[in-house]
PDB file of all heavy atoms in Angstrom:
ATOM      1  N   THR A1360       3.018   0.143  -7.927  1.00 97.00           N
ATOM      2  CA  THR A1360       2.161   1.339  -7.933  1.00 97.00           C
ATOM      3  C   THR A1360       2.445   2.146  -9.191  1.00 97.00           C
ATOM      4  O   THR A1360       3.602   2.436  -9.481  1.00 97.00           O
ATOM      5  CB  THR A1360       2.393   2.198  -6.679  1.00 97.00           C
ATOM      6  OG1 THR A1360       2.019   1.458  -5.521  1.00 97.00           O
ATOM      7  CG2 THR A1360       1.592   3.481  -6.742  1.00 97.00           C
ATOM      8  N   LEU A1361       1.393   2.519  -9.916  1.00 98.00           N
ATOM      9  CA  LEU A1361       1.523   3.316 -11.129  1.00 98.00           C
ATOM     10  C   LEU A1361       0.930   4.688 -10.867  1.00 98.00           C
ATOM     11  O   LEU A1361      -0.240   4.811 -10.504  1.00 98.00           O
ATOM     12  CB  LEU A1361       0.813   2.649 -12.307  1.00 98.00           C
ATOM     13  CG  LEU A1361       1.374   1.320 -12.812  1.00 98.00           C
ATOM     14  CD1 LEU A1361       0.772   0.153 -12.027  1.00 98.00           C
ATOM     15  CD2 LEU A1361       1.077   1.134 -14.276  1.00 98.00           C
ATOM     16  N   LEU A1362       1.726   5.727 -11.068  1.00 98.00           N
ATOM     17  CA  LEU A1362       1.291   7.113 -10.938  1.00 98.00           C
ATOM     18  C   LEU A1362       1.323   7.750 -12.312  1.00 98.00           C
ATOM     19  O   LEU A1362       2.371   7.786 -12.947  1.00 98.00           O
ATOM     20  CB  LEU A1362       2.216   7.871  -9.985  1.00 98.00           C
ATOM     21  CG  LEU A1362       2.457   7.255  -8.603  1.00 98.00           C
ATOM     22  CD1 LEU A1362       3.441   8.098  -7.805  1.00 98.00           C
ATOM     23  CD2 LEU A1362       1.148   7.139  -7.822  1.00 98.00           C
ATOM     24  N   LEU A1363       0.198   8.236 -12.780  1.00 98.00           N
ATOM     25  CA  LEU A1363       0.087   8.693 -14.153  1.00 98.00           C
ATOM     26  C   LEU A1363      -0.461  10.124 -14.209  1.00 98.00           C
ATOM     27  O   LEU A1363      -1.554  10.382 -13.729  1.00 98.00           O
ATOM     28  CB  LEU A1363      -0.811   7.762 -14.977  1.00 98.00           C
ATOM     29  CG  LEU A1363      -0.423   6.283 -14.947  1.00 98.00           C
ATOM     30  CD1 LEU A1363      -1.365   5.499 -14.012  1.00 98.00           C
ATOM     31  CD2 LEU A1363      -0.464   5.681 -16.336  1.00 98.00           C
ATOM     32  N   ASP A1364       0.315  11.015 -14.800  1.00 97.00           N
ATOM     33  CA  ASP A1364      -0.072  12.401 -14.929  1.00 97.00           C
ATOM     34  C   ASP A1364      -0.662  12.619 -16.315  1.00 97.00           C
ATOM     35  O   ASP A1364       0.062  12.664 -17.314  1.00 97.00           O
ATOM     36  CB  ASP A1364       1.136  13.312 -14.697  1.00 97.00           C
ATOM     37  CG  ASP A1364       0.745  14.715 -14.315  1.00 97.00           C
ATOM     38  OD1 ASP A1364      -0.452  15.062 -14.447  1.00 97.00           O
ATOM     39  OD2 ASP A1364       1.614  15.475 -13.874  1.00 97.00           O
ATOM     40  N   GLU A1365      -1.958  12.721 -16.377  1.00 96.00           N
ATOM     41  CA  GLU A1365      -2.706  12.918 -17.622  1.00 96.00           C
ATOM     42  C   GLU A1365      -2.371  11.850 -18.669  1.00 96.00           C
ATOM     43  O   GLU A1365      -1.855  12.153 -19.749  1.00 96.00           O
ATOM     44  CB  GLU A1365      -2.465  14.324 -18.176  1.00 96.00           C
ATOM     45  CG  GLU A1365      -2.878  15.421 -17.201  1.00 96.00           C
ATOM     46  CD  GLU A1365      -2.741  16.817 -17.802  1.00 96.00           C
ATOM     47  OE1 GLU A1365      -2.931  16.945 -19.014  1.00 96.00           O
ATOM     48  OE2 GLU A1365      -2.427  17.743 -17.039  1.00 96.00           O
ATOM     49  N   PRO A1366      -2.637  10.585 -18.369  1.00 96.00           N
ATOM     50  CA  PRO A1366      -2.255   9.496 -19.277  1.00 96.00           C
ATOM     51  C   PRO A1366      -2.982   9.502 -20.610  1.00 96.00           C
ATOM     52  O   PRO A1366      -2.539   8.868 -21.551  1.00 96.00           O
ATOM     53  CB  PRO A1366      -2.592   8.241 -18.469  1.00 96.00           C
ATOM     54  CG  PRO A1366      -3.662   8.685 -17.525  1.00 96.00           C
ATOM     55  CD  PRO A1366      -3.304  10.079 -17.161  1.00 96.00           C
ATOM     56  N   LEU A1367      -4.119  10.205 -20.707  1.00 96.00           N
ATOM     57  CA  LEU A1367      -4.914  10.184 -21.943  1.00 96.00           C
ATOM     58  C   LEU A1367      -4.526  11.279 -22.916  1.00 96.00           C
ATOM     59  O   LEU A1367      -5.151  11.412 -23.979  1.00 96.00           O
ATOM     60  CB  LEU A1367      -6.407  10.284 -21.586  1.00 96.00           C
ATOM     61  CG  LEU A1367      -6.931   9.235 -20.605  1.00 96.00           C
ATOM     62  CD1 LEU A1367      -8.436   9.385 -20.419  1.00 96.00           C
ATOM     63  CD2 LEU A1367      -6.575   7.830 -21.057  1.00 96.00           C
ATOM     64  N   THR A1368      -3.532  12.100 -22.572  1.00 94.00           N
ATOM     65  CA  THR A1368      -3.113  13.189 -23.448  1.00 94.00           C
ATOM     66  C   THR A1368      -2.761  12.660 -24.831  1.00 94.00           C
ATOM     67  O   THR A1368      -2.012  11.670 -24.986  1.00 94.00           O
ATOM     68  CB  THR A1368      -1.881  13.896 -22.848  1.00 94.00           C
ATOM     69  OG1 THR A1368      -2.227  14.429 -21.584  1.00 94.00           O
ATOM     70  CG2 THR A1368      -1.405  15.016 -23.750  1.00 94.00           C
ATOM     71  N   HIS A1369      -3.284  13.316 -25.877  1.00 94.00           N
ATOM     72  CA  HIS A1369      -3.014  13.016 -27.290  1.00 94.00           C
ATOM     73  C   HIS A1369      -3.691  11.752 -27.797  1.00 94.00           C
ATOM     74  O   HIS A1369      -3.583  11.432 -28.977  1.00 94.00           O
ATOM     75  CB  HIS A1369      -1.520  12.918 -27.579  1.00 94.00           C
ATOM     76  CG  HIS A1369      -0.738  14.110 -27.232  1.00 94.00           C
ATOM     77  ND1 HIS A1369      -1.065  15.386 -27.673  1.00 94.00           N
ATOM     78  CD2 HIS A1369       0.394  14.272 -26.469  1.00 94.00           C
ATOM     79  CE1 HIS A1369      -0.191  16.266 -27.228  1.00 94.00           C
ATOM     80  NE2 HIS A1369       0.689  15.622 -26.475  1.00 94.00           N
ATOM     81  N   LEU A1370      -4.355  10.986 -26.945  1.00 96.00           N
ATOM     82  CA  LEU A1370      -4.923   9.719 -27.378  1.00 96.00           C
ATOM     83  C   LEU A1370      -6.314   9.892 -28.008  1.00 96.00           C
ATOM     84  O   LEU A1370      -7.127  10.680 -27.505  1.00 96.00           O
ATOM     85  CB  LEU A1370      -5.048   8.742 -26.204  1.00 96.00           C
ATOM     86  CG  LEU A1370      -3.762   8.357 -25.483  1.00 96.00           C
ATOM     87  CD1 LEU A1370      -4.061   7.260 -24.465  1.00 96.00           C
ATOM     88  CD2 LEU A1370      -2.675   7.909 -26.456  1.00 96.00           C
ATOM     89  N   ASP A1371      -6.558   9.174 -29.105  1.00 96.00           N
ATOM     90  CA  ASP A1371      -7.896   9.174 -29.680  1.00 96.00           C
ATOM     91  C   ASP A1371      -8.823   8.370 -28.789  1.00 96.00           C
ATOM     92  O   ASP A1371      -8.382   7.715 -27.828  1.00 96.00           O
ATOM     93  CB  ASP A1371      -7.880   8.651 -31.118  1.00 96.00           C
ATOM     94  CG  ASP A1371      -7.326   7.218 -31.212  1.00 96.00           C
ATOM     95  OD1 ASP A1371      -7.724   6.368 -30.387  1.00 96.00           O
ATOM     96  OD2 ASP A1371      -6.498   6.964 -32.101  1.00 96.00           O
ATOM     97  N   LEU A1372     -10.103   8.420 -29.080  1.00 95.00           N
ATOM     98  CA  LEU A1372     -11.091   7.835 -28.186  1.00 95.00           C
ATOM     99  C   LEU A1372     -10.874   6.331 -27.990  1.00 95.00           C
ATOM    100  O   LEU A1372     -10.959   5.803 -26.873  1.00 95.00           O
ATOM    101  CB  LEU A1372     -12.503   8.112 -28.707  1.00 95.00           C
ATOM    102  CG  LEU A1372     -13.659   7.730 -27.776  1.00 95.00           C
ATOM    103  CD1 LEU A1372     -13.547   8.460 -26.449  1.00 95.00           C
ATOM    104  CD2 LEU A1372     -14.999   8.025 -28.438  1.00 95.00           C
ATOM    105  N   ARG A1373     -10.572   5.623 -29.095  1.00 96.00           N
ATOM    106  CA  ARG A1373     -10.362   4.171 -28.972  1.00 96.00           C
ATOM    107  C   ARG A1373      -9.209   3.843 -28.047  1.00 96.00           C
ATOM    108  O   ARG A1373      -9.286   2.946 -27.209  1.00 96.00           O
ATOM    109  CB  ARG A1373     -10.082   3.579 -30.366  1.00 96.00           C
ATOM    110  CG  ARG A1373      -9.837   2.066 -30.334  1.00 96.00           C
ATOM    111  CD  ARG A1373      -9.828   1.506 -31.744  1.00 96.00           C
ATOM    112  NE  ARG A1373      -8.703   1.947 -32.528  1.00 96.00           N
ATOM    113  CZ  ARG A1373      -7.534   1.292 -32.589  1.00 96.00           C
ATOM    114  NH1 ARG A1373      -7.351   0.192 -31.894  1.00 96.00           N
ATOM    115  NH2 ARG A1373      -6.569   1.741 -33.361  1.00 96.00           N
ATOM    116  N   HIS A1374      -8.120   4.611 -28.158  1.00 97.00           N
ATOM    117  CA  HIS A1374      -6.964   4.327 -27.319  1.00 97.00           C
ATOM    118  C   HIS A1374      -7.128   4.858 -25.876  1.00 97.00           C
ATOM    119  O   HIS A1374      -6.499   4.342 -24.968  1.00 97.00           O
ATOM    120  CB  HIS A1374      -5.706   4.887 -27.969  1.00 97.00           C
ATOM    121  CG  HIS A1374      -5.262   4.087 -29.166  1.00 97.00           C
ATOM    122  ND1 HIS A1374      -5.435   4.538 -30.456  1.00 97.00           N
ATOM    123  CD2 HIS A1374      -4.737   2.845 -29.253  1.00 97.00           C
ATOM    124  CE1 HIS A1374      -4.992   3.621 -31.295  1.00 97.00           C
ATOM    125  NE2 HIS A1374      -4.561   2.587 -30.609  1.00 97.00           N
ATOM    126  N   GLN A1375      -7.998   5.864 -25.682  1.00 96.00           N
ATOM    127  CA  GLN A1375      -8.347   6.227 -24.330  1.00 96.00           C
ATOM    128  C   GLN A1375      -9.035   5.073 -23.631  1.00 96.00           C
ATOM    129  O   GLN A1375      -8.704   4.698 -22.493  1.00 96.00           O
ATOM    130  CB  GLN A1375      -9.266   7.456 -24.338  1.00 96.00           C
ATOM    131  CG  GLN A1375      -8.584   8.751 -24.727  1.00 96.00           C
ATOM    132  CD  GLN A1375      -9.549   9.927 -24.658  1.00 96.00           C
ATOM    133  OE1 GLN A1375     -10.388  10.010 -23.767  1.00 96.00           O
ATOM    134  NE2 GLN A1375      -9.422  10.848 -25.609  1.00 96.00           N
ATOM    135  N   VAL A1376     -10.003   4.464 -24.315  1.00 95.00           N
ATOM    136  CA  VAL A1376     -10.736   3.326 -23.735  1.00 95.00           C
ATOM    137  C   VAL A1376      -9.782   2.181 -23.472  1.00 95.00           C
ATOM    138  O   VAL A1376      -9.826   1.550 -22.405  1.00 95.00           O
ATOM    139  CB  VAL A1376     -11.884   2.896 -24.680  1.00 95.00           C
ATOM    140  CG1 VAL A1376     -12.529   1.601 -24.174  1.00 95.00           C
ATOM    141  CG2 VAL A1376     -12.913   4.007 -24.800  1.00 95.00           C
ATOM    142  N   ARG A1377      -8.910   1.906 -24.442  1.00 97.00           N
ATOM    143  CA  ARG A1377      -7.969   0.794 -24.277  1.00 97.00           C
ATOM    144  C   ARG A1377      -7.020   1.017 -23.119  1.00 97.00           C
ATOM    145  O   ARG A1377      -6.747   0.111 -22.323  1.00 97.00           O
ATOM    146  CB  ARG A1377      -7.186   0.615 -25.577  1.00 97.00           C
ATOM    147  CG  ARG A1377      -6.247  -0.597 -25.608  1.00 97.00           C
ATOM    148  CD  ARG A1377      -5.724  -0.820 -26.999  1.00 97.00           C
ATOM    149  NE  ARG A1377      -4.913  -2.025 -27.101  1.00 97.00           N
ATOM    150  CZ  ARG A1377      -4.821  -2.765 -28.192  1.00 97.00           C
ATOM    151  NH1 ARG A1377      -5.516  -2.438 -29.256  1.00 97.00           N
ATOM    152  NH2 ARG A1377      -4.051  -3.833 -28.225  1.00 97.00           N
ATOM    153  N   THR A1378      -6.532   2.235 -22.982  1.00 97.00           N
ATOM    154  CA  THR A1378      -5.596   2.552 -21.896  1.00 97.00           C
ATOM    155  C   THR A1378      -6.269   2.414 -20.545  1.00 97.00           C
ATOM    156  O   THR A1378      -5.707   1.813 -19.620  1.00 97.00           O
ATOM    157  CB  THR A1378      -5.038   3.964 -22.077  1.00 97.00           C
ATOM    158  OG1 THR A1378      -4.259   4.017 -23.271  1.00 97.00           O
ATOM    159  CG2 THR A1378      -4.174   4.384 -20.893  1.00 97.00           C
ATOM    160  N   LEU A1379      -7.462   2.945 -20.405  1.00 96.00           N
ATOM    161  CA  LEU A1379      -8.146   2.852 -19.109  1.00 96.00           C
ATOM    162  C   LEU A1379      -8.489   1.387 -18.775  1.00 96.00           C
ATOM    163  O   LEU A1379      -8.437   1.004 -17.614  1.00 96.00           O
ATOM    164  CB  LEU A1379      -9.409   3.703 -19.111  1.00 96.00           C
ATOM    165  CG  LEU A1379      -9.168   5.235 -19.161  1.00 96.00           C
ATOM    166  CD1 LEU A1379     -10.512   5.967 -19.204  1.00 96.00           C
ATOM    167  CD2 LEU A1379      -8.345   5.699 -17.981  1.00 96.00           C
ATOM    168  N   ASP A1380      -8.809   0.601 -19.789  1.00 96.00           N
ATOM    169  CA  ASP A1380      -9.081  -0.812 -19.548  1.00 96.00           C
ATOM    170  C   ASP A1380      -7.823  -1.514 -19.064  1.00 96.00           C
ATOM    171  O   ASP A1380      -7.885  -2.329 -18.139  1.00 96.00           O
ATOM    172  CB  ASP A1380      -9.616  -1.454 -20.827  1.00 96.00           C
ATOM    173  CG  ASP A1380      -9.919  -2.931 -20.626  1.00 96.00           C
ATOM    174  OD1 ASP A1380     -10.777  -3.254 -19.776  1.00 96.00           O
ATOM    175  OD2 ASP A1380      -9.301  -3.770 -21.308  1.00 96.00           O
ATOM    176  N   LEU A1381      -6.665  -1.241 -19.675  1.00 97.00           N
ATOM    177  CA  LEU A1381      -5.425  -1.848 -19.247  1.00 97.00           C
ATOM    178  C   LEU A1381      -5.074  -1.450 -17.807  1.00 97.00           C
ATOM    179  O   LEU A1381      -4.581  -2.273 -17.015  1.00 97.00           O
ATOM    180  CB  LEU A1381      -4.282  -1.453 -20.197  1.00 97.00           C
ATOM    181  CG  LEU A1381      -4.312  -2.131 -21.548  1.00 97.00           C
ATOM    182  CD1 LEU A1381      -3.380  -1.401 -22.525  1.00 97.00           C
ATOM    183  CD2 LEU A1381      -3.937  -3.592 -21.437  1.00 97.00           C
ATOM    184  N   LEU A1382      -5.336  -0.196 -17.456  1.00 97.00           N
ATOM    185  CA  LEU A1382      -5.068   0.251 -16.091  1.00 97.00           C
ATOM    186  C   LEU A1382      -5.986  -0.421 -15.096  1.00 97.00           C
ATOM    187  O   LEU A1382      -5.566  -0.849 -14.007  1.00 97.00           O
ATOM    188  CB  LEU A1382      -5.186   1.773 -16.014  1.00 97.00           C
ATOM    189  CG  LEU A1382      -4.095   2.570 -16.739  1.00 97.00           C
ATOM    190  CD1 LEU A1382      -4.474   4.045 -16.783  1.00 97.00           C
ATOM    191  CD2 LEU A1382      -2.765   2.391 -16.038  1.00 97.00           C
ATOM    192  N   ARG A1383      -7.250  -0.550 -15.432  1.00 96.00           N
ATOM    193  CA  ARG A1383      -8.180  -1.238 -14.532  1.00 96.00           C
ATOM    194  C   ARG A1383      -7.814  -2.703 -14.357  1.00 96.00           C
ATOM    195  O   ARG A1383      -7.899  -3.256 -13.254  1.00 96.00           O
ATOM    196  CB  ARG A1383      -9.611  -1.135 -15.098  1.00 96.00           C
ATOM    197  CG  ARG A1383     -10.281   0.212 -14.840  1.00 96.00           C
ATOM    198  CD  ARG A1383     -11.726   0.188 -15.195  1.00 96.00           C
ATOM    199  NE  ARG A1383     -11.952  -0.155 -16.595  1.00 96.00           N
ATOM    200  CZ  ARG A1383     -13.144  -0.086 -17.221  1.00 96.00           C
ATOM    201  NH1 ARG A1383     -14.197   0.296 -16.550  1.00 96.00           N
ATOM    202  NH2 ARG A1383     -13.255  -0.386 -18.487  1.00 96.00           N
ATOM    203  N   ARG A1384      -7.393  -3.336 -15.443  1.00 96.00           N
ATOM    204  CA  ARG A1384      -6.982  -4.744 -15.352  1.00 96.00           C
ATOM    205  C   ARG A1384      -5.728  -4.899 -14.500  1.00 96.00           C
ATOM    206  O   ARG A1384      -5.587  -5.860 -13.739  1.00 96.00           O
ATOM    207  CB  ARG A1384      -6.772  -5.294 -16.743  1.00 96.00           C
ATOM    208  CG  ARG A1384      -8.079  -5.593 -17.472  1.00 96.00           C
ATOM    209  CD  ARG A1384      -7.890  -5.809 -18.953  1.00 96.00           C
ATOM    210  NE  ARG A1384      -6.842  -6.774 -19.253  1.00 96.00           N
ATOM    211  CZ  ARG A1384      -6.329  -6.954 -20.480  1.00 96.00           C
ATOM    212  NH1 ARG A1384      -6.766  -6.217 -21.492  1.00 96.00           N
ATOM    213  NH2 ARG A1384      -5.396  -7.864 -20.660  1.00 96.00           N
ATOM    214  N   ALA A1385      -4.801  -3.926 -14.611  1.00 97.00           N
ATOM    215  CA  ALA A1385      -3.607  -4.004 -13.776  1.00 97.00           C
ATOM    216  C   ALA A1385      -3.973  -3.937 -12.310  1.00 97.00           C
ATOM    217  O   ALA A1385      -3.357  -4.616 -11.474  1.00 97.00           O
ATOM    218  CB  ALA A1385      -2.658  -2.842 -14.142  1.00 97.00           C
ATOM    219  N   ALA A1386      -4.971  -3.140 -11.986  1.00 96.00           N
ATOM    220  CA  ALA A1386      -5.413  -3.041 -10.586  1.00 96.00           C
ATOM    221  C   ALA A1386      -6.161  -4.303 -10.161  1.00 96.00           C
ATOM    222  O   ALA A1386      -5.838  -4.911  -9.125  1.00 96.00           O
ATOM    223  CB  ALA A1386      -6.305  -1.807 -10.401  1.00 96.00           C
ATOM    224  N   ARG A1387      -7.130  -4.722 -10.935  1.00 95.00           N
ATOM    225  CA  ARG A1387      -8.009  -5.796 -10.498  1.00 95.00           C
ATOM    226  C   ARG A1387      -7.377  -7.172 -10.617  1.00 95.00           C
ATOM    227  O   ARG A1387      -7.593  -8.039  -9.751  1.00 95.00           O
ATOM    228  CB  ARG A1387      -9.303  -5.729 -11.320  1.00 95.00           C
ATOM    229  CG  ARG A1387     -10.108  -4.463 -11.050  1.00 95.00           C
ATOM    230  CD  ARG A1387     -11.297  -4.338 -11.961  1.00 95.00           C
ATOM    231  NE  ARG A1387     -12.034  -3.080 -11.718  1.00 95.00           N
ATOM    232  CZ  ARG A1387     -13.077  -2.679 -12.425  1.00 95.00           C
ATOM    233  NH1 ARG A1387     -13.515  -3.425 -13.429  1.00 95.00           N
ATOM    234  NH2 ARG A1387     -13.679  -1.536 -12.118  1.00 95.00           N
ATOM    235  N   GLU A1388      -6.609  -7.401 -11.675  1.00 96.00           N
ATOM    236  CA  GLU A1388      -6.071  -8.741 -11.909  1.00 96.00           C
ATOM    237  C   GLU A1388      -4.691  -8.915 -11.302  1.00 96.00           C
ATOM    238  O   GLU A1388      -4.308 -10.017 -10.919  1.00 96.00           O
ATOM    239  CB  GLU A1388      -6.022  -9.028 -13.415  1.00 96.00           C
ATOM    240  CG  GLU A1388      -7.395  -9.044 -14.077  1.00 96.00           C
ATOM    241  CD  GLU A1388      -7.345  -9.179 -15.578  1.00 96.00           C
ATOM    242  OE1 GLU A1388      -6.218  -9.450 -16.107  1.00 96.00           O
ATOM    243  OE2 GLU A1388      -8.377  -8.977 -16.233  1.00 96.00           O
ATOM    244  N   GLN A1389      -3.899  -7.821 -11.248  1.00 96.00           N
ATOM    245  CA  GLN A1389      -2.531  -7.911 -10.715  1.00 96.00           C
ATOM    246  C   GLN A1389      -2.373  -7.245  -9.367  1.00 96.00           C
ATOM    247  O   GLN A1389      -1.267  -7.199  -8.831  1.00 96.00           O
ATOM    248  CB  GLN A1389      -1.566  -7.280 -11.732  1.00 96.00           C
ATOM    249  CG  GLN A1389      -1.620  -7.964 -13.091  1.00 96.00           C
ATOM    250  CD  GLN A1389      -0.878  -7.182 -14.163  1.00 96.00           C
ATOM    251  OE1 GLN A1389      -0.017  -6.343 -13.875  1.00 96.00           O
ATOM    252  NE2 GLN A1389      -1.191  -7.459 -15.423  1.00 96.00           N
ATOM    253  N   ARG A1390      -3.469  -6.695  -8.839  1.00 96.00           N
ATOM    254  CA  ARG A1390      -3.484  -6.075  -7.510  1.00 96.00           C
ATOM    255  C   ARG A1390      -2.494  -4.914  -7.409  1.00 96.00           C
ATOM    256  O   ARG A1390      -1.877  -4.705  -6.387  1.00 96.00           O
ATOM    257  CB  ARG A1390      -3.204  -7.118  -6.436  1.00 96.00           C
ATOM    258  CG  ARG A1390      -4.182  -8.274  -6.398  1.00 96.00           C
ATOM    259  CD  ARG A1390      -5.578  -7.815  -6.108  1.00 96.00           C
ATOM    260  NE  ARG A1390      -5.681  -7.212  -4.753  1.00 96.00           N
ATOM    261  CZ  ARG A1390      -6.727  -6.503  -4.330  1.00 96.00           C
ATOM    262  NH1 ARG A1390      -7.742  -6.277  -5.129  1.00 96.00           N
ATOM    263  NH2 ARG A1390      -6.721  -6.023  -3.097  1.00 96.00           N
ATOM    264  N   ARG A1391      -2.360  -4.179  -8.479  1.00 97.00           N
ATOM    265  CA  ARG A1391      -1.510  -2.986  -8.431  1.00 97.00           C
ATOM    266  C   ARG A1391      -2.344  -1.783  -7.994  1.00 97.00           C
ATOM    267  O   ARG A1391      -3.574  -1.787  -8.075  1.00 97.00           O
ATOM    268  CB  ARG A1391      -0.890  -2.724  -9.795  1.00 97.00           C
ATOM    269  CG  ARG A1391       0.021  -3.860 -10.253  1.00 97.00           C
ATOM    270  CD  ARG A1391       0.740  -3.518 -11.529  1.00 97.00           C
ATOM    271  NE  ARG A1391       1.482  -4.660 -12.018  1.00 97.00           N
ATOM    272  CZ  ARG A1391       2.246  -4.664 -13.097  1.00 97.00           C
ATOM    273  NH1 ARG A1391       2.382  -3.560 -13.794  1.00 97.00           N
ATOM    274  NH2 ARG A1391       2.887  -5.750 -13.480  1.00 97.00           N
ATOM    275  N   THR A1392      -1.662  -0.774  -7.514  1.00 97.00           N
ATOM    276  CA  THR A1392      -2.311   0.489  -7.163  1.00 97.00           C
ATOM    277  C   THR A1392      -2.146   1.441  -8.338  1.00 97.00           C
ATOM    278  O   THR A1392      -1.031   1.638  -8.822  1.00 97.00           O
ATOM    279  CB  THR A1392      -1.679   1.114  -5.903  1.00 97.00           C
ATOM    280  OG1 THR A1392      -1.742   0.161  -4.823  1.00 97.00           O
ATOM    281  CG2 THR A1392      -2.384   2.394  -5.509  1.00 97.00           C
ATOM    282  N   VAL A1393      -3.234   2.033  -8.790  1.00 98.00           N
ATOM    283  CA  VAL A1393      -3.203   2.942  -9.939  1.00 98.00           C
ATOM    284  C   VAL A1393      -3.753   4.301  -9.477  1.00 98.00           C
ATOM    285  O   VAL A1393      -4.860   4.367  -8.922  1.00 98.00           O
ATOM    286  CB  VAL A1393      -4.063   2.409 -11.104  1.00 98.00           C
ATOM    287  CG1 VAL A1393      -4.075   3.420 -12.261  1.00 98.00           C
ATOM    288  CG2 VAL A1393      -3.518   1.056 -11.587  1.00 98.00           C
ATOM    289  N   ILE A1394      -2.964   5.344  -9.698  1.00 98.00           N
ATOM    290  CA  ILE A1394      -3.385   6.692  -9.353  1.00 98.00           C
ATOM    291  C   ILE A1394      -3.148   7.568 -10.570  1.00 98.00           C
ATOM    292  O   ILE A1394      -2.013   7.698 -11.039  1.00 98.00           O
ATOM    293  CB  ILE A1394      -2.595   7.251  -8.146  1.00 98.00           C
ATOM    294  CG1 ILE A1394      -2.667   6.293  -6.946  1.00 98.00           C
ATOM    295  CG2 ILE A1394      -3.095   8.652  -7.772  1.00 98.00           C
ATOM    296  CD1 ILE A1394      -1.766   6.697  -5.785  1.00 98.00           C
TER     297      ILE A1394
END
Side-chain angles (χ1 to χ4, degrees):
T1360 296
L1361 294 87
L1362 307 177
L1363 305 104
D1364 201 347
E1365 301 185 33
L1367 305 184
T1368 300
H1369 302 308
L1370 299 187
D1371 58 45
L1372 188 58
R1373 179 169 69 91
H1374 287 106
Q1375 289 182 38
V1376 173
R1377 186 169 184 149
T1378 295
L1379 292 178
D1380 180 60
L1381 286 165
L1382 290 170
R1383 281 189 301 189
R1384 284 165 51 193
R1387 294 174 182 176
E1388 297 174 10
Q1389 301 169 20
R1390 301 298 296 167
R1391 298 186 186 182
T1392 304
V1393 177
I1394 306 173

